[in-house]
Amino acid sequence: MLRIHGYPVSTYTRTATMACIEKGVAHELVPIEYGSAAHVALHPFSRIPVLEHDDTVIFETLAITSYIDEAFAGLALQPTDALARARMLEWVGLCSDYVYRDVVRGLPRKRPPNDEELCAARSALRRLDGLIGDRFLAGDALSLADLYLAPQISNACEKLGDALDQLDSLRAWYERLARRESFRRTAYDPASL
């Protein structure tokens, strides 16, 4: 069994657990005392998630999700076609570098966003809407890109009820992902935060 150290509210932890569910891999979500000595022993920068598999520890979400995809049988989460794989990695980069900054971290949980935060988040969401294709982010099949973006958009919808207003392509993509078992099983109750 895989052990994923993190919390359901973390978009990256959710991505890792969604990858396990999509692959049909048994896993356990293990809460971690953030910043503790035990946490630093697992990740030198005290970040989440961290994956434990037998005696192996893997940190950083792309390494974790790539390992889950490649080490276990089941639905492939990374395209084999070079162009589709490059598109998947583009999306992972967008999520890691821009969407996380502007839409996840940039939207506070404990207070309403200020005008600057709101403008940055809405601008990022509009840009994403212009990039969404017909089905999945990297082509005709689900990929790690979809598993990265779905929790981040869920986070935006939680913090801004109208996050997807007038963003028809992004809304349609998100609604498709929200129907997946992996998305439903990794949902958390925002009231519990």
Side-chain angles (χ1 to χ4, degrees):
M1 171 164 315
L2 299 181
R3 300 183 66 184
I4 299 174
H5 297 269
Y7 295 96
V9 70
S10 160
T11 59
Y12 290 127
T13 298
R14 191 171 182 189
T15 293
T17 55
M18 287 176 71
C20 286
I21 294 166
E22 291 290 345
K23 293 292 286 188
V25 176
H27 65 284
E28 172 187 14
L29 183 58
V30 180
I32 191 162
E33 185 180 343
Y34 201 81
S36 67
H39 189 185
V40 173
L42 291 172
H43 192 302
F45 291 91
S46 299
R47 299 287 189 221
I48 54 177
V50 175
L51 174 73
E52 272 189 289
H53 183 213
D54 298 327
D55 294 330
T56 301
V57 174
I58 301 171
F59 51 86
E60 292 305 302
T61 308
L62 184 56
I64 291 168
T65 56
S66 296
Y67 177 79
I68 292 167
D69 185 39
E70 295 168 15
F72 298 95
L75 175 70
L77 298 175
Q78 299 175 88
T80 55
D81 172 73
L83 181 57
R85 193 174 187 97
R87 294 290 180 230
M88 178 199 76
L89 291 172
E90 278 181 334
W91 276 101
V92 169
L94 287 172
C95 292
S96 297
D97 295 334
Y98 310 110
V99 180
Y100 185 81
R101 178 193 66 208
D102 293 341
V103 176
V104 178
R105 187 160 265 175
L107 291 174
R109 282 195 181 283
K110 301 196 188 288
R111 65 168 171 77
N114 64 37
D115 289 342
E116 184 178 329
E117 293 163 336
L118 196 55
C119 183
R122 293 206 186 280
S123 176
L125 293 169
R126 278 192 304 275
R127 290 175 189 195
L128 293 175
D129 187 63
L131 296 172
I132 300 284
D134 292 335
R135 189 98 174 101
F136 294 104
L137 298 179
D140 294 333
L142 180 80
S143 75
L144 295 179
D146 300 288
L147 302 183
Y148 267 73
L149 186 58
Q152 294 180 346
I153 299 303
S154 177
N155 183 280
C157 291
E158 172 194 327
K159 294 175 181 176
L160 303 172
D162 63 351
L164 301 181
D165 282 2
Q166 300 177 8
L167 302 175
D168 296 339
S169 296
L170 186 56
R171 178 190 307 281
W173 170 85
Y174 179 69
E175 288 173 353
R176 280 193 302 276
L177 264 288
R179 288 191 292 268
R180 296 188 77 84
E181 179 184 358
S182 65
F183 186 89
R184 292 191 317 271
R185 283 183 45 197
T186 57
Y188 58 91
D189 180 7
S192 68
L193 302 176

PDB file of all heavy atoms in Angstrom, residues 98-99 101-104 106-108 111-128 160 162-163 167:
ATOM      1  N   TYR A  98       1.821  29.068 -12.500  1.00  0.00           N
ATOM      2  CA  TYR A  98       0.937  30.230 -12.593  1.00  0.00           C
ATOM      3  C   TYR A  98      -0.407  30.033 -11.905  1.00  0.00           C
ATOM      4  O   TYR A  98      -0.836  30.869 -11.131  1.00  0.00           O
ATOM      5  CB  TYR A  98       0.709  30.602 -14.071  1.00  0.00           C
ATOM      6  CG  TYR A  98       1.993  30.713 -14.830  1.00  0.00           C
ATOM      7  CD1 TYR A  98       2.345  29.779 -15.793  1.00  0.00           C
ATOM      8  CD2 TYR A  98       2.888  31.751 -14.565  1.00  0.00           C
ATOM      9  CE1 TYR A  98       3.537  29.873 -16.486  1.00  0.00           C
ATOM     10  CE2 TYR A  98       4.086  31.848 -15.247  1.00  0.00           C
ATOM     11  CZ  TYR A  98       4.409  30.907 -16.212  1.00  0.00           C
ATOM     12  OH  TYR A  98       5.597  31.001 -16.883  1.00  0.00           O
ATOM     13  N   VAL A  99      -1.066  28.930 -12.219  1.00  0.00           N
ATOM     14  CA  VAL A  99      -2.405  28.718 -11.668  1.00  0.00           C
ATOM     15  C   VAL A  99      -2.323  28.577 -10.149  1.00  0.00           C
ATOM     16  O   VAL A  99      -3.103  29.197  -9.427  1.00  0.00           O
ATOM     17  CB  VAL A  99      -3.099  27.491 -12.303  1.00  0.00           C
ATOM     18  CG1 VAL A  99      -4.493  27.297 -11.726  1.00  0.00           C
ATOM     19  CG2 VAL A  99      -3.169  27.658 -13.816  1.00  0.00           C
ATOM     20  N   ARG A 101      -0.103  29.794  -8.129  1.00  0.00           N
ATOM     21  CA  ARG A 101       0.226  31.103  -7.554  1.00  0.00           C
ATOM     22  C   ARG A 101      -0.990  32.032  -7.519  1.00  0.00           C
ATOM     23  O   ARG A 101      -1.279  32.647  -6.504  1.00  0.00           O
ATOM     24  CB  ARG A 101       1.358  31.747  -8.355  1.00  0.00           C
ATOM     25  CG  ARG A 101       1.754  33.141  -7.864  1.00  0.00           C
ATOM     26  CD  ARG A 101       2.638  33.863  -8.845  1.00  0.00           C
ATOM     27  NE  ARG A 101       1.889  34.147 -10.061  1.00  0.00           N
ATOM     28  CZ  ARG A 101       2.446  34.268 -11.268  1.00  0.00           C
ATOM     29  NH1 ARG A 101       3.731  34.112 -11.430  1.00  0.00           N
ATOM     30  NH2 ARG A 101       1.693  34.540 -12.317  1.00  0.00           N
ATOM     31  N   ASP A 102      -1.695  32.130  -8.642  1.00  0.00           N
ATOM     32  CA  ASP A 102      -2.761  33.131  -8.767  1.00  0.00           C
ATOM     33  C   ASP A 102      -4.130  32.643  -8.306  1.00  0.00           C
ATOM     34  O   ASP A 102      -4.946  33.441  -7.853  1.00  0.00           O
ATOM     35  CB  ASP A 102      -2.873  33.596 -10.221  1.00  0.00           C
ATOM     36  CG  ASP A 102      -1.647  34.372 -10.677  1.00  0.00           C
ATOM     37  OD1 ASP A 102      -0.887  34.862  -9.815  1.00  0.00           O
ATOM     38  OD2 ASP A 102      -1.440  34.474 -11.901  1.00  0.00           O
ATOM     39  N   VAL A 103      -4.396  31.350  -8.432  1.00  0.00           N
ATOM     40  CA  VAL A 103      -5.738  30.842  -8.182  1.00  0.00           C
ATOM     41  C   VAL A 103      -5.846  30.067  -6.873  1.00  0.00           C
ATOM     42  O   VAL A 103      -6.901  30.046  -6.259  1.00  0.00           O
ATOM     43  CB  VAL A 103      -6.209  29.968  -9.379  1.00  0.00           C
ATOM     44  CG1 VAL A 103      -7.558  29.350  -9.125  1.00  0.00           C
ATOM     45  CG2 VAL A 103      -6.225  30.799 -10.660  1.00  0.00           C
ATOM     46  N   VAL A 104      -4.761  29.453  -6.435  1.00  0.00           N
ATOM     47  CA  VAL A 104      -4.810  28.697  -5.179  1.00  0.00           C
ATOM     48  C   VAL A 104      -4.218  29.543  -4.054  1.00  0.00           C
ATOM     49  O   VAL A 104      -4.928  30.000  -3.166  1.00  0.00           O
ATOM     50  CB  VAL A 104      -4.071  27.342  -5.301  1.00  0.00           C
ATOM     51  CG1 VAL A 104      -4.082  26.596  -3.979  1.00  0.00           C
ATOM     52  CG2 VAL A 104      -4.708  26.498  -6.400  1.00  0.00           C
ATOM     53  N   GLY A 106      -3.044  32.539  -4.200  1.00  0.00           N
ATOM     54  CA  GLY A 106      -3.418  33.951  -4.289  1.00  0.00           C
ATOM     55  C   GLY A 106      -4.814  34.278  -3.794  1.00  0.00           C
ATOM     56  O   GLY A 106      -5.143  35.450  -3.614  1.00  0.00           O
ATOM     57  N   LEU A 107      -5.652  33.258  -3.598  1.00  0.00           N
ATOM     58  CA  LEU A 107      -7.000  33.487  -3.074  1.00  0.00           C
ATOM     59  C   LEU A 107      -7.045  33.023  -1.619  1.00  0.00           C
ATOM     60  O   LEU A 107      -6.983  31.828  -1.348  1.00  0.00           O
ATOM     61  CB  LEU A 107      -8.042  32.723  -3.901  1.00  0.00           C
ATOM     62  CG  LEU A 107      -8.270  33.231  -5.317  1.00  0.00           C
ATOM     63  CD1 LEU A 107      -9.207  32.292  -6.073  1.00  0.00           C
ATOM     64  CD2 LEU A 107      -8.812  34.647  -5.305  1.00  0.00           C
ATOM     65  N   PRO A 108      -7.145  33.951  -0.682  1.00  0.00           N
ATOM     66  CA  PRO A 108      -7.110  33.577   0.738  1.00  0.00           C
ATOM     67  C   PRO A 108      -8.350  32.798   1.159  1.00  0.00           C
ATOM     68  O   PRO A 108      -9.413  32.908   0.555  1.00  0.00           O
ATOM     69  CB  PRO A 108      -7.050  34.933   1.452  1.00  0.00           C
ATOM     70  CG  PRO A 108      -7.608  35.909   0.480  1.00  0.00           C
ATOM     71  CD  PRO A 108      -7.321  35.382  -0.888  1.00  0.00           C
ATOM     72  N   ARG A 111     -10.395  35.240   4.489  1.00  0.00           N
ATOM     73  CA  ARG A 111     -10.941  36.574   4.247  1.00  0.00           C
ATOM     74  C   ARG A 111     -11.283  36.696   2.770  1.00  0.00           C
ATOM     75  O   ARG A 111     -10.763  35.942   1.947  1.00  0.00           O
ATOM     76  CB  ARG A 111      -9.944  37.654   4.652  1.00  0.00           C
ATOM     77  CG  ARG A 111      -8.675  37.643   3.814  1.00  0.00           C
ATOM     78  CD  ARG A 111      -7.818  38.878   4.017  1.00  0.00           C
ATOM     79  NE  ARG A 111      -6.535  38.771   3.378  1.00  0.00           N
ATOM     80  CZ  ARG A 111      -6.316  38.922   2.074  1.00  0.00           C
ATOM     81  NH1 ARG A 111      -7.312  39.204   1.250  1.00  0.00           N
ATOM     82  NH2 ARG A 111      -5.102  38.793   1.569  1.00  0.00           N
ATOM     83  N   PRO A 112     -12.130  37.643   2.418  1.00  0.00           N
ATOM     84  CA  PRO A 112     -12.409  37.863   0.998  1.00  0.00           C
ATOM     85  C   PRO A 112     -11.148  38.360   0.281  1.00  0.00           C
ATOM     86  O   PRO A 112     -10.349  39.094   0.881  1.00  0.00           O
ATOM     87  CB  PRO A 112     -13.497  38.943   1.001  1.00  0.00           C
ATOM     88  CG  PRO A 112     -14.048  38.951   2.387  1.00  0.00           C
ATOM     89  CD  PRO A 112     -12.949  38.480   3.287  1.00  0.00           C
ATOM     90  N   PRO A 113     -10.961  37.974  -0.975  1.00  0.00           N
ATOM     91  CA  PRO A 113      -9.784  38.454  -1.705  1.00  0.00           C
ATOM     92  C   PRO A 113      -9.886  39.955  -1.952  1.00  0.00           C
ATOM     93  O   PRO A 113     -10.983  40.489  -2.132  1.00  0.00           O
ATOM     94  CB  PRO A 113      -9.827  37.669  -3.016  1.00  0.00           C
ATOM     95  CG  PRO A 113     -11.235  37.224  -3.161  1.00  0.00           C
ATOM     96  CD  PRO A 113     -11.797  37.096  -1.782  1.00  0.00           C
ATOM     97  N   ASN A 114      -8.742  40.623  -1.964  1.00  0.00           N
ATOM     98  CA  ASN A 114      -8.743  42.043  -2.314  1.00  0.00           C
ATOM     99  C   ASN A 114      -8.805  42.175  -3.836  1.00  0.00           C
ATOM    100  O   ASN A 114      -8.750  41.171  -4.562  1.00  0.00           O
ATOM    101  CB  ASN A 114      -7.535  42.768  -1.698  1.00  0.00           C
ATOM    102  CG  ASN A 114      -6.202  42.261  -2.231  1.00  0.00           C
ATOM    103  OD1 ASN A 114      -6.047  41.931  -3.409  1.00  0.00           O
ATOM    104  ND2 ASN A 114      -5.215  42.198  -1.349  1.00  0.00           N
ATOM    105  N   ASP A 115      -8.910  43.378  -4.322  1.00  0.00           N
ATOM    106  CA  ASP A 115      -9.072  43.597  -5.763  1.00  0.00           C
ATOM    107  C   ASP A 115      -7.906  43.042  -6.577  1.00  0.00           C
ATOM    108  O   ASP A 115      -8.110  42.450  -7.643  1.00  0.00           O
ATOM    109  CB  ASP A 115      -9.244  45.089  -6.058  1.00  0.00           C
ATOM    110  CG  ASP A 115     -10.583  45.632  -5.596  1.00  0.00           C
ATOM    111  OD1 ASP A 115     -11.505  44.817  -5.358  1.00  0.00           O
ATOM    112  OD2 ASP A 115     -10.723  46.866  -5.470  1.00  0.00           O
ATOM    113  N   GLU A 116      -6.703  43.195  -6.086  1.00  0.00           N
ATOM    114  CA  GLU A 116      -5.525  42.697  -6.804  1.00  0.00           C
ATOM    115  C   GLU A 116      -5.539  41.174  -6.892  1.00  0.00           C
ATOM    116  O   GLU A 116      -5.261  40.593  -7.951  1.00  0.00           O
ATOM    117  CB  GLU A 116      -4.257  43.189  -6.103  1.00  0.00           C
ATOM    118  CG  GLU A 116      -2.986  42.805  -6.818  1.00  0.00           C
ATOM    119  CD  GLU A 116      -1.743  43.343  -6.112  1.00  0.00           C
ATOM    120  OE1 GLU A 116      -1.822  44.417  -5.481  1.00  0.00           O
ATOM    121  OE2 GLU A 116      -0.704  42.664  -6.192  1.00  0.00           O
ATOM    122  N   GLU A 117      -5.841  40.509  -5.780  1.00  0.00           N
ATOM    123  CA  GLU A 117      -5.908  39.044  -5.758  1.00  0.00           C
ATOM    124  C   GLU A 117      -7.012  38.538  -6.668  1.00  0.00           C
ATOM    125  O   GLU A 117      -6.823  37.570  -7.422  1.00  0.00           O
ATOM    126  CB  GLU A 117      -6.147  38.561  -4.326  1.00  0.00           C
ATOM    127  CG  GLU A 117      -4.990  38.831  -3.390  1.00  0.00           C
ATOM    128  CD  GLU A 117      -5.356  38.748  -1.923  1.00  0.00           C
ATOM    129  OE1 GLU A 117      -6.546  38.919  -1.570  1.00  0.00           O
ATOM    130  OE2 GLU A 117      -4.432  38.516  -1.112  1.00  0.00           O
ATOM    131  N   LEU A 118      -8.150  39.187  -6.620  1.00  0.00           N
ATOM    132  CA  LEU A 118      -9.285  38.802  -7.446  1.00  0.00           C
ATOM    133  C   LEU A 118      -8.965  38.988  -8.933  1.00  0.00           C
ATOM    134  O   LEU A 118      -9.254  38.114  -9.753  1.00  0.00           O
ATOM    135  CB  LEU A 118     -10.504  39.633  -7.048  1.00  0.00           C
ATOM    136  CG  LEU A 118     -11.859  39.156  -7.502  1.00  0.00           C
ATOM    137  CD1 LEU A 118     -12.135  37.732  -7.077  1.00  0.00           C
ATOM    138  CD2 LEU A 118     -12.928  40.094  -6.950  1.00  0.00           C
ATOM    139  N   CYS A 119      -8.338  40.098  -9.268  1.00  0.00           N
ATOM    140  CA  CYS A 119      -7.975  40.378 -10.666  1.00  0.00           C
ATOM    141  C   CYS A 119      -6.986  39.330 -11.185  1.00  0.00           C
ATOM    142  O   CYS A 119      -7.133  38.833 -12.303  1.00  0.00           O
ATOM    143  CB  CYS A 119      -7.391  41.783 -10.761  1.00  0.00           C
ATOM    144  SG  CYS A 119      -6.979  42.271 -12.439  1.00  0.00           S
ATOM    145  N   ALA A 120      -5.974  38.990 -10.388  1.00  0.00           N
ATOM    146  CA  ALA A 120      -4.981  37.995 -10.806  1.00  0.00           C
ATOM    147  C   ALA A 120      -5.633  36.627 -11.027  1.00  0.00           C
ATOM    148  O   ALA A 120      -5.359  35.948 -12.023  1.00  0.00           O
ATOM    149  CB  ALA A 120      -3.871  37.891  -9.768  1.00  0.00           C
ATOM    150  N   ALA A 121      -6.514  36.225 -10.106  1.00  0.00           N
ATOM    151  CA  ALA A 121      -7.179  34.924 -10.230  1.00  0.00           C
ATOM    152  C   ALA A 121      -8.087  34.889 -11.459  1.00  0.00           C
ATOM    153  O   ALA A 121      -8.048  33.939 -12.237  1.00  0.00           O
ATOM    154  CB  ALA A 121      -7.979  34.614  -8.977  1.00  0.00           C
ATOM    155  N   ARG A 122      -8.876  35.908 -11.626  1.00  0.00           N
ATOM    156  CA  ARG A 122      -9.793  35.933 -12.778  1.00  0.00           C
ATOM    157  C   ARG A 122      -9.033  35.989 -14.099  1.00  0.00           C
ATOM    158  O   ARG A 122      -9.437  35.364 -15.077  1.00  0.00           O
ATOM    159  CB  ARG A 122     -10.776  37.088 -12.638  1.00  0.00           C
ATOM    160  CG  ARG A 122     -11.727  36.887 -11.463  1.00  0.00           C
ATOM    161  CD  ARG A 122     -13.034  37.623 -11.658  1.00  0.00           C
ATOM    162  NE  ARG A 122     -13.877  37.549 -10.494  1.00  0.00           N
ATOM    163  CZ  ARG A 122     -14.639  36.515 -10.160  1.00  0.00           C
ATOM    164  NH1 ARG A 122     -14.640  35.441 -10.910  1.00  0.00           N
ATOM    165  NH2 ARG A 122     -15.403  36.549  -9.084  1.00  0.00           N
ATOM    166  N   SER A 123      -7.935  36.718 -14.133  1.00  0.00           N
ATOM    167  CA  SER A 123      -7.111  36.777 -15.343  1.00  0.00           C
ATOM    168  C   SER A 123      -6.548  35.395 -15.677  1.00  0.00           C
ATOM    169  O   SER A 123      -6.574  34.967 -16.834  1.00  0.00           O
ATOM    170  CB  SER A 123      -5.973  37.783 -15.146  1.00  0.00           C
ATOM    171  OG  SER A 123      -5.117  37.782 -16.261  1.00  0.00           O
ATOM    172  N   ALA A 124      -6.048  34.692 -14.672  1.00  0.00           N
ATOM    173  CA  ALA A 124      -5.512  33.345 -14.902  1.00  0.00           C
ATOM    174  C   ALA A 124      -6.604  32.407 -15.407  1.00  0.00           C
ATOM    175  O   ALA A 124      -6.388  31.635 -16.349  1.00  0.00           O
ATOM    176  CB  ALA A 124      -4.893  32.802 -13.614  1.00  0.00           C
ATOM    177  N   LEU A 125      -7.787  32.484 -14.814  1.00  0.00           N
ATOM    178  CA  LEU A 125      -8.890  31.617 -15.241  1.00  0.00           C
ATOM    179  C   LEU A 125      -9.316  31.927 -16.674  1.00  0.00           C
ATOM    180  O   LEU A 125      -9.591  31.004 -17.461  1.00  0.00           O
ATOM    181  CB  LEU A 125     -10.071  31.751 -14.279  1.00  0.00           C
ATOM    182  CG  LEU A 125      -9.821  31.205 -12.863  1.00  0.00           C
ATOM    183  CD1 LEU A 125     -10.945  31.616 -11.919  1.00  0.00           C
ATOM    184  CD2 LEU A 125      -9.642  29.695 -12.876  1.00  0.00           C
ATOM    185  N   ARG A 126      -9.344  33.185 -17.053  1.00  0.00           N
ATOM    186  CA  ARG A 126      -9.688  33.551 -18.446  1.00  0.00           C
ATOM    187  C   ARG A 126      -8.652  32.994 -19.419  1.00  0.00           C
ATOM    188  O   ARG A 126      -8.999  32.503 -20.498  1.00  0.00           O
ATOM    189  CB  ARG A 126      -9.781  35.069 -18.591  1.00  0.00           C
ATOM    190  CG  ARG A 126     -11.103  35.658 -18.148  1.00  0.00           C
ATOM    191  CD  ARG A 126     -11.266  37.110 -18.582  1.00  0.00           C
ATOM    192  NE  ARG A 126     -10.193  37.967 -18.123  1.00  0.00           N
ATOM    193  CZ  ARG A 126     -10.137  38.558 -16.929  1.00  0.00           C
ATOM    194  NH1 ARG A 126     -11.112  38.381 -16.060  1.00  0.00           N
ATOM    195  NH2 ARG A 126      -9.122  39.331 -16.617  1.00  0.00           N
ATOM    196  N   ARG A 127      -7.390  33.080 -19.055  1.00  0.00           N
ATOM    197  CA  ARG A 127      -6.338  32.546 -19.933  1.00  0.00           C
ATOM    198  C   ARG A 127      -6.486  31.041 -20.103  1.00  0.00           C
ATOM    199  O   ARG A 127      -6.299  30.516 -21.204  1.00  0.00           O
ATOM    200  CB  ARG A 127      -4.965  32.891 -19.366  1.00  0.00           C
ATOM    201  CG  ARG A 127      -4.657  34.363 -19.475  1.00  0.00           C
ATOM    202  CD  ARG A 127      -3.357  34.707 -18.818  1.00  0.00           C
ATOM    203  NE  ARG A 127      -3.221  36.149 -18.777  1.00  0.00           N
ATOM    204  CZ  ARG A 127      -2.093  36.764 -18.526  1.00  0.00           C
ATOM    205  NH1 ARG A 127      -0.997  36.066 -18.301  1.00  0.00           N
ATOM    206  NH2 ARG A 127      -2.056  38.072 -18.496  1.00  0.00           N
ATOM    207  N   LEU A 128      -6.796  30.353 -19.012  1.00  0.00           N
ATOM    208  CA  LEU A 128      -7.009  28.908 -19.099  1.00  0.00           C
ATOM    209  C   LEU A 128      -8.181  28.587 -20.011  1.00  0.00           C
ATOM    210  O   LEU A 128      -8.109  27.653 -20.812  1.00  0.00           O
ATOM    211  CB  LEU A 128      -7.272  28.319 -17.711  1.00  0.00           C
ATOM    212  CG  LEU A 128      -6.128  28.346 -16.713  1.00  0.00           C
ATOM    213  CD1 LEU A 128      -6.605  27.826 -15.362  1.00  0.00           C
ATOM    214  CD2 LEU A 128      -4.944  27.553 -17.218  1.00  0.00           C
ATOM    215  N   LEU A 160     -14.350  31.310  -4.665  1.00  0.00           N
ATOM    216  CA  LEU A 160     -15.121  32.266  -5.464  1.00  0.00           C
ATOM    217  C   LEU A 160     -16.283  31.509  -6.084  1.00  0.00           C
ATOM    218  O   LEU A 160     -16.100  30.829  -7.077  1.00  0.00           O
ATOM    219  CB  LEU A 160     -14.274  32.850  -6.603  1.00  0.00           C
ATOM    220  CG  LEU A 160     -12.976  33.553  -6.272  1.00  0.00           C
ATOM    221  CD1 LEU A 160     -12.229  33.873  -7.552  1.00  0.00           C
ATOM    222  CD2 LEU A 160     -13.261  34.822  -5.491  1.00  0.00           C
ATOM    223  N   ASP A 162     -18.442  32.191  -8.071  1.00  0.00           N
ATOM    224  CA  ASP A 162     -18.689  32.504  -9.479  1.00  0.00           C
ATOM    225  C   ASP A 162     -17.421  32.381 -10.325  1.00  0.00           C
ATOM    226  O   ASP A 162     -17.312  32.986 -11.384  1.00  0.00           O
ATOM    227  CB  ASP A 162     -19.270  33.909  -9.616  1.00  0.00           C
ATOM    228  CG  ASP A 162     -18.318  34.999  -9.131  1.00  0.00           C
ATOM    229  OD1 ASP A 162     -17.274  34.675  -8.521  1.00  0.00           O
ATOM    230  OD2 ASP A 162     -18.606  36.185  -9.378  1.00  0.00           O
ATOM    231  N   ALA A 163     -16.463  31.582  -9.886  1.00  0.00           N
ATOM    232  CA  ALA A 163     -15.158  31.489 -10.538  1.00  0.00           C
ATOM    233  C   ALA A 163     -15.245  31.139 -12.019  1.00  0.00           C
ATOM    234  O   ALA A 163     -14.425  31.597 -12.812  1.00  0.00           O
ATOM    235  CB  ALA A 163     -14.282  30.468  -9.824  1.00  0.00           C
ATOM    236  N   LEU A 167     -16.945  31.424 -18.464  1.00  0.00           N
ATOM    237  CA  LEU A 167     -15.783  30.649 -18.910  1.00  0.00           C
ATOM    238  C   LEU A 167     -16.283  29.275 -19.363  1.00  0.00           C
ATOM    239  O   LEU A 167     -16.091  28.264 -18.702  1.00  0.00           O
ATOM    240  CB  LEU A 167     -14.751  30.524 -17.777  1.00  0.00           C
ATOM    241  CG  LEU A 167     -14.221  31.836 -17.218  1.00  0.00           C
ATOM    242  CD1 LEU A 167     -13.306  31.588 -16.026  1.00  0.00           C
ATOM    243  CD2 LEU A 167     -13.499  32.659 -18.284  1.00  0.00           C
TER     244      LEU A 167
END
